[in-house]
Amino acid sequence: MTDESVPHRIDPAGGCPHALNAELLARGAVAEVVLPGGVPGAVVLGHEALREFLAHPDVAKDARHFTGLQDGTVPAQWPLRVFANAQGMHTADGADHRRLRALAGNAFTARQVEQLRPRIESLTAELLDDLAEAAATGDGTADLRRHFALPLPMSVICELLGVDPEHRGRLHELSNKVIIATDTTPAEAMAAVRELVELMGTIAAARTADPGDDLTSALIAARESDGDRLSEAELIGTMRLMLVAGHETTLNLITNAVRALCTHPDQLALVRSGKASWNDVVDETLRWDGPVSWFPFRYPTRDLDLAGTVIPQGTPVLAGYTAAGRDPEAYGPDAARFDLTRPTTARNLSFGHGAHYCLGAPLARLEATIALEHLFARFPDLTLATPEPTLPHQPSFIGNSVESLPVRLR
């Protein structure tokens, strides 16, 4: 038995979050934690508590409100400092956040995203050919994550940003090391941050010299037309956010959806019979096994009473998305069951809530629905090649998926 009075000490190597979420959620909607590096923090786990927290007027994203960072008690080599120090719309508040969000927002409206459908369908077809080739040239199995779930969203977001193909592999490696793999050492993380910033600068310089019909060129043009609108750090930070959020989360979403369907053939049969849709698959996967587990950081700007627990001003707080998705208070006693026919009792929070609701949500949904529909149409007998419980989980408490997904196509 664990001592409920002792804050949970987060394992930077992460692992499947659901058992831990259930244990902590049984104690309350908010839990004290000790972040990697010994920094005290909190996580909001309950659905209603998280919904309130994400839109609360007395909660900030700017690390100026992070007490331990400002008073020097958090060490310079703290491994999670990269999340607090980042600049961009995801760490801005108020007018700054609205200004930065508006610059990128036009690329992610429902209308603009829908115009990407033909390109996403074309890429999907090409990648399914690659997946089939990988299986044919090996032992009959292929890693669906590597050959399909990763290159689809990575190609789409890089084309939107105007990133040349030769940079894409390294960008994924670096973004994974900086944002997702929380078991890296501080030195490794800082080296990856520096290289990622340098590479983003190289991409920005290329688009400055040769502008195109892409988001990076548009951001640069906005910056040059009014120098107060976007600083160099904000440009790089916005590009980094678009890149990471634009592929890592969709990669996990597609991977987790395929795992769920392969281990719940009765639910896949509902889709094939027309009793459920691919949109239902995406929604239920987002709720049941979302792509992001505990995401940093937000900071109360005053002592905040949330679901009966007081979170002190300036505490770094994690948003517990995977916990909220299986909260029995929101989804009933069978919240841990994958069910495409589940009544909509609460809107899942996997894309956030409030002013910082994920800008790329329409794109992620479109990519995932196209990917899943075409994958199972092309390979209706697709199965996992490795028992699901033995699949290695991402070494992260932030990202939520497996490191590989070996499948048999027939």
Side-chain angles (χ1 to χ4, degrees):
M1 298 291 290
T2 58
D3 185 345
E4 295 186 10
S5 66
V6 178
H8 170 70
R9 186 171 291 273
I10 294 176
D11 181 357
C16 184
H18 299 302
L20 174 61
N21 284 338
E23 178 187 341
L24 293 177
L25 194 53
R27 305 179 195 174
V30 179
E32 289 184 69
V33 296
V34 178
L35 298 162
V39 175
V43 58
V44 182
L45 305 152
H47 179 278
E48 284 306 310
L50 182 57
R51 188 175 185 275
E52 177 184 351
F53 180 73
L54 293 175
H56 203 289
D58 297 320
V59 173
K61 293 277 279 181
D62 193 318
R64 289 180 299 174
H65 301 280
F66 183 175
T67 301
L69 205 65
Q70 301 306 316
D71 66 14
T73 56
V74 173
Q77 296 303 312
W78 186 47
L80 300 184
R81 185 178 279 268
V82 60
F83 292 97
N85 287 348
Q87 292 188 46
M89 74 178 75
H90 59 308
T91 56
D93 298 308
D96 273 346
H97 173 250
R98 291 189 293 272
R99 170 177 61 90
L100 293 168
R101 190 176 175 97
L103 289 172
N106 288 338
F108 295 97
T109 64
R111 180 170 174 269
Q112 289 295 105
V113 166
E114 183 58 32
Q115 291 178 359
L116 296 173
R117 180 182 292 274
R119 178 57 180 149
I120 296 171
E121 290 177 337
S122 173
L123 278 169
T124 298
E126 293 172 14
L127 292 169
L128 290 176
D129 288 342
D130 293 344
L131 184 65
E133 183 178 350
T137 56
D139 60 357
T141 70
D143 183 357
L144 185 137
R145 186 173 172 88
R146 173 187 172 191
H147 292 286
F148 183 64
L150 166 61
L152 177 61
M154 189 67 173
S155 296
V156 172
I157 195 61
C158 283
E159 288 181 9
L160 273 176
L161 286 169
V163 176
D164 294 331
E166 63 264 25
H167 297 311
R168 296 176 187 178
R170 186 58 179 159
L171 283 172
H172 170 65
E173 293 173 6
L174 292 170
S175 67
N176 186 272
K177 185 173 289 187
V178 171
I179 306 297
I180 304 300
T182 51
D183 64 340
T184 56
T185 67
E188 290 172 334
M190 291 308 298
V193 168
R194 285 192 295 269
E195 186 179 348
L196 183 58
V197 169
E198 288 172 3
L199 189 47
M200 287 295 182
T202 298
I203 294 164
R207 296 286 70 79
T208 300
D210 183 20
D213 184 19
D214 57 75
L215 182 55
T216 301
S217 296
L219 291 172
I220 292 168
R223 175 174 176 242
E224 292 177 346
S225 67
D226 183 349
D228 290 336
R229 295 198 72 201
L230 197 67
S231 70
E232 179 72 18
E234 288 171 338
L235 172 64
I236 298 301
T238 299
M239 290 172 63
R240 190 171 82 183
L241 171 66
M242 294 291 109
L243 172 82
V244 175
H247 88 277
E248 291 283 1
T249 53
T250 310
L251 159 62
N252 285 356
L253 173 57
I254 294 170
T255 302
N256 293 357
V258 173
R259 286 167 56 221
L261 291 171
C262 286
T263 53
H264 297 81
D266 59 319
Q267 300 300 301
L268 179 56
L270 291 175
V271 183
R272 287 177 165 154
S273 67
K275 296 177 181 177
S277 70
W278 293 110
N279 281 325
D280 293 330
V281 174
V282 170
D283 279 337
E284 182 66 348
T285 302
L286 286 167
R287 181 200 70 82
W288 183 74
D289 200 21
V292 177
S293 190
W294 293 4
F295 195 78
F297 287 118
R298 283 175 164 82
Y299 318 96
T301 58
R302 61 171 176 81
D303 289 355
L304 187 68
D305 188 334
L306 192 68
T309 297
V310 175
I311 307 175
Q313 177 180 343
T315 300
V317 183
L318 300 160
Y321 293 115
T322 49
R326 296 195 184 190
D327 183 357
E329 292 294 324
Y331 298 103
D334 68 343
R337 182 163 60 90
F338 183 73
D339 181 5
L340 300 183
T341 64
R342 179 180 302 280
T344 305
T345 53
R347 179 183 176 184
N348 82 72
L349 299 171
S350 286
F351 286 124
H353 176 66
H356 285 271
Y357 182 80
C358 178
L359 198 62
L363 178 58
R365 287 182 178 277
L366 182 64
E367 289 174 338
T369 52
I370 290 174
L372 294 169
E373 180 177 5
H374 288 238
L375 173 69
F376 284 97
R378 174 81 176 268
F379 306 114
D381 300 321
L382 183 145
T383 58
L384 298 184
T386 303
E388 198 277 339
T390 68
L391 293 171
H393 207 274
Q394 281 184 315
S396 177
F397 64 87
I398 297 174
N400 173 47
S401 193
V402 291
E403 290 194 282
S404 63
L405 191 66
V407 297
R408 293 189 185 279
L409 304 182
R410 58 180 60 84

